[in-house]
Amino acid sequence: MSARISFFALMFFALQGCTNVPVRGTGDLGVVIERTTGSIEIIETSNRSVLGHVSGLGDLSHASVNYSRDGRYAYVFGRDGGLTKVDLLKMCVVKRVMQSGNSIGGAISQDGRLVAVANYTPGGVKVFDSATLDLVADIPALDATGQLSKVVGLVDAPGNRFVWSLFNSGEIWVGDLKNPAHPVLQKFTGIGKEPYDGVITADGRYYMAGLFGEDGLALLDLWHQEAGVKRVLNHYGRGEQKLPVFKMPHMEGWAATGNELLVPAVGRHEVLVIDENNWQEVAHIPVHGQPVFVVARPDNRQVWVNFAFPDNDTVQVIDVPSRSIVQTLKPGKGVLHMEFTPRGESVWVSARDDNKLTIYDSETYTVQGELTADNPSGIFFTHRANRTGL
Amino acid sequence: MSARISFFALMFFALQGCTNVPVRGTGDLGVVIERTTGSIEIIETSNRSVLGHVSGLGDLSHASVNYSRDGRYAYVFGRDGGLTKVDLLKMCVVKRVMQSGNSIGGAISQDGRLVAVANYTPGGVKVFDSATLDLVADIPALDATGQLSKVVGLVDAPGNRFVWSLFNSGEIWVGDLKNPAHPVLQKFTGIGKEPYDGVITADGRYYMAGLFGEDGLALLDLWHQEAGVKRVLNHYGRGEQKLPVFKMPHMEGWAATGNELLVPAVGRHEVLVIDENNWQEVAHIPVHGQPVFVVARPDNRQVWVNFAFPDNDTVQVIDVPSRSIVQTLKPGKGVLHMEFTPRGESVWVSARDDNKLTIYDSETYTVQGELTADNPSGIFFTHRANRTGL
């Protein structure tokens, strides 16, 4: 009899758990931020379709997404300090916490157990258990004088560490979260004026902070932290003439192509080629406008570039070996982001003002599909769960 | 009685069949080959546990695995020519075809729609629809004299291409499968005597074939196919003295660490350091035995090495910057394979003769877990779906 009850219990749970939930893999899923409606669109890249929407995520301007290590859950970081855990299979909000007044993105630890958020107000980093969203560490960004600083450029690094920058005080901090109850902090001060964003190379070795208050980049080699933070690319930035900058370029997604790094110039219509061995600029490639994202195709053969207003209807493709523009595309009005499928055969492009996503074959540039989305901005595929710094 | 039987039959199907399918992500799943029982063990890396087993997969000596782009299905290539599609969520065989008499591995196309298999008998490549396992292309490996050759070293490459080598006739073929009904073949002849295995760099640019019949490696730059196949590392191989070689080292997983490639020497107790810019040997690192797999941790900071008999109870860890051995481990008898979690915090090691898997923290070398498996050999995690050449 008890066996019989267990049987019906089993059937019941089998039906309850699964009625609306398709059994499917999560390796080809992704999320598109719909910034004005506070919702996300869940898509899949195998048949290039929209699976559904999840709303109630708050202010999603400048929102970004990380994924759980199993690819099932998206952690959505909103501008209003909201952190929302979304189940991509059930397409619903699992949990949502308002963790600060104003935040600027986050990162997930190497082991997938911790989600860290960079906050402007109050300035600091909060770290949450990725399963429960319980707060496990609260690290205020206090400088030596006791002032709070805005936190920017937060990334994950190998060894369950996070790295971030303090905008107001000009510092880079490395936080070892192997024991979240006792974060071990290493602080680098005087790294430059007003770091505004940061990026870590795909191997998790080099962390770079862009400076808003002066030219140059602050570089930290995480394999040799004893060497401290160095200044590289001294002319990188807005330059002597303080050119009008319509949008500071994003650092996430800087295109590392083996020995070279291709980065957007600030204010100028150029993509810069940097030798990663000596951090010198070895070339600059004229492009259509002020570059915003400079993203390498996964095979590093091509780099795709989008632009700030008024050139934000255009995407250009650079052939890396010849450093030449091989294609100019017009995906729509307000192109905000580009995301490659993990093996690079396709690239998805969001056009905010046309409410659409365009999917290109990255070899032939033919359009493989178009989908609607409400004012789409960032596009994030689940393979990011398996990469450092994404 | 018959009611009782059908009740248990129902229970059986509830447990074994499709009703009790857990809703879960697939990004943290993996497969372990159990070579003597013709079965696979399905594991997950978040809680480091065994989820179940699937049997009836034939002769799995030297078996390998590819994954569908959604991470749900494993394609298992058996030595007996069997190609089996396994559903990791339902934990059952979806379809199994005996596609040749003797095969040696396969690859999945960049777009995930095609599965290609390298065959010894009869020699050639067969290509299947990844959804249905229907045959879509059959490419016999006929040389200029009309003789069939064994096919080895089959890999995927960008542009929905596959690359493979012909053992008997000494050729490398590049097959463009954008239109599977009309494969476009480019053949490179006279590339060297008896290519026995091949590897493609993670960016999909360089294909290398190891030669059994003479020393040296055959190198094809897929960005410059017009330059043809070059011979590099002329002393790579068994060498003048024809040292006894207990096991030819595997080429898959050769450790590319940015500018350098770390490869197992053949017959000698050394790992060779190759400069990827000029393909010269720049150093050799003495190790415990004849190396078999030389695998880079995803951050390229470390390389882990296992060994041929009689040293196959040992794993050594090389610190890449200093080129020194920093750890020697004894995971058990008959260590056959090592697989890193995608972001590198852990490495799983199979010990065939001890019927176990040992999971190490890759930074502290502490044991994070041990699991049983029946004569385990290869370990394959689903993030391979998102990488070229894996």
Side-chain angles (χ1 to χ4, degrees), chain B residues 4-236:
Chain B
R4 194 174 176 81
I5 286 165
S6 45
F7 168 68
F8 282 113
L10 268 169
M11 280 299 290
F12 177 80
F13 286 116
L15 291 169
Q16 296 291 317
C18 301
T19 45
N20 191 30
V21 180
V23 175
R24 59 161 298 141
T26 50
D28 58 349
L29 300 182
V31 158
V32 179
I33 302 292
E34 299 183 308
R35 50 194 280 158
T36 51
T37 48
S39 58
I40 59 171
E41 183 166 89
I42 299 175
I43 57 85
E44 58 79 31
T45 64
S46 294
N47 300 299
R48 304 177 193 119
S49 69
V50 174
L51 299 175
H53 296 80
V54 177
S55 57
L57 277 65
D59 178 1
L60 294 187
S61 55
H62 211 282
S64 64
V65 174
N66 285 130
Y67 288 101
S68 60
R69 58 179 290 134
D70 61 1
R72 177 175 178 179
Y73 301 102
Y75 301 93
V76 183
F77 305 96
R79 190 56 191 259
D80 55 6
L83 165 61
T84 312
K85 181 177 179 177
V86 176
D87 185 332
L88 300 186
L89 292 174
K90 295 186 177 178
M91 294 199 278
C92 57
V93 171
V94 177
K95 194 162 183 189
R96 176 168 163 77
V97 293
M98 289 304 292
Q99 57 85 40
S100 81
N102 190 336
S103 86
I104 190 71
I108 189 159
S109 62
Q110 185 184 33
D111 68 1
R113 298 186 190 280
L114 304 172
V115 174
V117 194
N119 290 319
Y120 277 5
T121 317
V125 172
K126 286 191 179 175
V127 184
F128 298 86
D129 181 305
S130 64
T132 61
L133 295 195
D134 290 341
L135 184 71
V136 294
D138 187 354
I139 307 170
L142 286 167
D143 68 15
T145 69
Q147 299 297 306
L148 278 173
S149 183
K150 291 179 186 174
V151 170
V152 297
L154 173 68
V155 300
D156 59 284
N160 252 35
R161 293 178 296 175
F162 295 101
V163 188
W164 60 87
S165 296
L166 277 58
F167 177 85
N168 306 78
S169 60
E171 302 181 30
I172 293 174
W173 289 14
V174 179
D176 182 333
L177 271 287
K178 274 193 271 301
N179 180 355
H182 299 284
V184 178
L185 300 174
Q186 191 165 2
K187 303 176 183 180
F188 299 88
T189 57
I191 63 108
K193 210 169 162 187
E194 296 174 340
Y196 73 95
D197 198 2
V199 67
I200 191 165
T201 49
D203 58 6
R205 177 169 179 179
Y206 296 106
Y207 178 82
M208 283 166 285
L211 302 173
F212 190 76
E214 59 185 305
D215 284 354
L217 287 176
L219 174 75
L220 176 61
D221 180 350
L222 293 168
W223 292 13
H224 297 289
Q225 291 188 43
E226 71 287 354
V229 172
K230 291 181 205 168
R231 186 70 59 87
V232 295
L233 289 177
N234 285 326
H235 299 295
Y236 185 77

Side-chain angles (χ1 to χ4, degrees), chain B residues 212 215 237-249 265-270 289-292 307-311:
Chain B
F212 190 76
D215 284 354
R238 289 180 295 170
E240 298 282 325
Q241 298 174 53
K242 300 292 177 206
L243 291 164
V245 177
F246 293 103
K247 183 174 171 62
M248 288 298 280
V266 179
R268 292 191 299 279
H269 295 196
E270 289 174 0
Q290 292 188 3
V292 176
F307 302 99
F309 179 85
D311 299 308

Side-chain angles (χ1 to χ4, degrees), chain A residues 23 26-27 45-46 69-70 72 108-110 113 156 159 203 259 277 299 342-343 345 363 385-387, chain B residues 11 23 26-27 45-46 69-70 72 108-110 113 156 159 203 259 277 299 342-343 345 363 385-387:
Chain A
V23 175
T26 51
T45 64
S46 294
R69 56 180 291 135
D70 61 0
R72 177 175 178 180
I108 189 160
S109 63
Q110 185 184 32
R113 298 185 191 282
D156 60 282
D203 58 6
N259 292 325
N277 297 304
D299 70 350
R343 289 166 71 190
E345 71 280 9
E363 191 170 332
N386 292 328
R387 311 287 168 108
Chain B
M11 280 299 290
V23 175
T26 50
T45 64
S46 294
R69 58 179 290 134
D70 61 1
R72 177 175 178 179
I108 189 159
S109 62
Q110 185 184 33
R113 298 186 190 280
D156 59 284
D203 58 6
N259 292 325
N277 297 304
D299 70 351
R343 289 166 71 190
E345 72 280 9
E363 191 170 330
N386 292 327
R387 311 289 167 106

Side-chain angles (χ1 to χ4, degrees), chain A residues 100-177:
Chain A
S100 82
N102 190 336
S103 85
I104 190 71
I108 189 160
S109 63
Q110 185 184 32
D111 68 0
R113 298 185 191 282
L114 304 172
V115 174
V117 194
N119 289 319
Y120 277 5
T121 316
V125 172
K126 286 190 179 176
V127 184
F128 299 86
D129 181 304
S130 64
T132 61
L133 293 196
D134 291 340
L135 184 71
V136 294
D138 187 355
I139 307 170
L142 286 167
D143 67 16
T145 68
Q147 299 298 305
L148 278 172
S149 183
K150 290 180 188 174
V151 170
V152 298
L154 173 67
V155 300
D156 60 282
N160 252 35
R161 292 178 296 175
F162 294 101
V163 188
W164 61 88
S165 297
L166 277 59
F167 177 85
N168 306 78
S169 60
E171 301 181 30
I172 292 174
W173 290 14
V174 180
D176 182 333
L177 271 288

Side-chain angles (χ1 to χ4, degrees), chain B residues 304-345:
Chain B
W304 289 51
V305 188
N306 73 335
F307 302 99
F309 179 85
D311 299 308
N312 57 350
D313 63 342
T314 301
V315 165
Q316 286 192 310
V317 182
I318 297 172
D319 175 65
V320 169
S322 65
R323 295 175 183 162
S324 60
I325 305 286
V326 290
Q327 190 72 17
T328 298
L329 301 165
K330 299 284 181 184
K333 293 180 196 159
V335 171
L336 290 189
H337 202 213
M338 302 164 291
E339 177 89 334
F340 281 95
T341 51
R343 289 166 71 190
E345 72 280 9

